[in-house]
């Protein structure tokens, strides 16, 4: 087993780790407290990528917990916790029809953001292929290295979280 395989297995196990539920709770609380509208969560996601946690509610020490878990996750896995949380949210829909719609939406949005034209996705499997093959590290690296992918995922995350 290679180091990459071990890392992917560790990341796979982290999706079941309930410690991250507090971050989901922090985001939902922040959304409700500040009455988030469409695309407000996208802005928060981008701020978290920039290590700015100031708009996360400090209720129940959410802001500090978010910062600490982000630091831990970056040290342990070399990825941002927000990338992990967005993927985790989408994985809740795996093996459903909605999952296919969500992953197609990510691919289409990535193409639109990149080309600045309303055209169909060039690669419908940009998100789903690494998930199906349990290449979580590759997916997270691709998201974090590609601003278009990052924004597309944040927009879909916003759609899922803000109803």
């Amino acid at each position: 087993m290679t180091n990459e395989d071990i890392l992917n297995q560790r990341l796979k196990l982290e999706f079941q780790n309930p410690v991250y539920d507090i971050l989901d709770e922090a985001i939902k609380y922040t959304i409700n407290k500040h009455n988030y509208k469409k695309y407000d969560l996208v802005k928060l996601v981008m701020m978290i990528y920039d290590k700015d946690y100031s708009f996360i509610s400090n209720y129940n020490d959410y802001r500090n917990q978010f910062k600490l878990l982000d630091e831990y996750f970056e040290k342990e896995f070399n990825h941002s916790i927000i990338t992990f949380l967005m993927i985790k949210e989408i994985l809740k829909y795996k093996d459903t029809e909605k999952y296919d719609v969500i992953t197609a939406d990510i691919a289409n949005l990535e193409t639109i953001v990149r080309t600045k034209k309303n055209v169909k996705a060039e690669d419908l499997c940009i998100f789903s292929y690494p998930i199906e093959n349990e290449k979580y590290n590759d997916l997270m690296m691709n998201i974090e290295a590609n601003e278009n992918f990052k924004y597309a995922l944040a927009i879909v995350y916003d759609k899922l979280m803000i109803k």
Side-chain angles (χ1 to χ4, degrees), residues 71-144:
E71 288 170 355
Y72 161 79
F73 205 82
E74 192 162 306
K75 180 182 173 202
E76 197 65 27
F77 299 103
N78 203 28
H79 294 294
S80 175
I81 194 67
I82 195 64
T83 306
F84 175 80
L85 292 176
M86 290 188 292
I87 293 170
K88 183 176 177 247
E89 183 64 29
I90 292 166
L91 285 176
K92 291 177 183 176
Y93 299 94
K94 197 165 186 224
D95 299 323
T96 69
E97 286 180 28
K98 187 167 183 169
Y99 177 78
D100 294 334
V101 171
I102 291 168
T103 58
D105 196 19
I106 293 168
N108 285 321
L109 285 167
E110 188 278 333
T111 300
I112 290 168
V113 171
R114 182 171 30 81
T115 64
K116 296 176 182 35
K117 296 177 184 168
N118 192 3
V119 294
K120 289 285 183 196
E122 297 163 2
D123 181 4
L124 277 174
C125 300
I126 191 170
F127 185 89
S128 59
Y129 179 81
I131 293 292
E132 290 165 12
N133 292 286
E134 297 183 348
K135 301 289 185 188
Y136 305 108
N137 187 53
D138 289 348
L139 177 61
M140 294 175 83
M141 283 190 326
N142 193 12
I143 292 165
E144 292 170 354

Side-chain angles (χ1 to χ4, degrees), residues 48-65:
I48 293 169
Y49 273 121
D50 290 336
K51 305 294 184 213
D52 181 353
Y53 310 100
S54 62
F55 284 90
I56 296 171
S57 175
N58 208 25
Y59 172 79
N60 204 17
D61 203 27
Y62 286 143
R63 189 177 303 146
N64 193 44
Q65 291 179 65

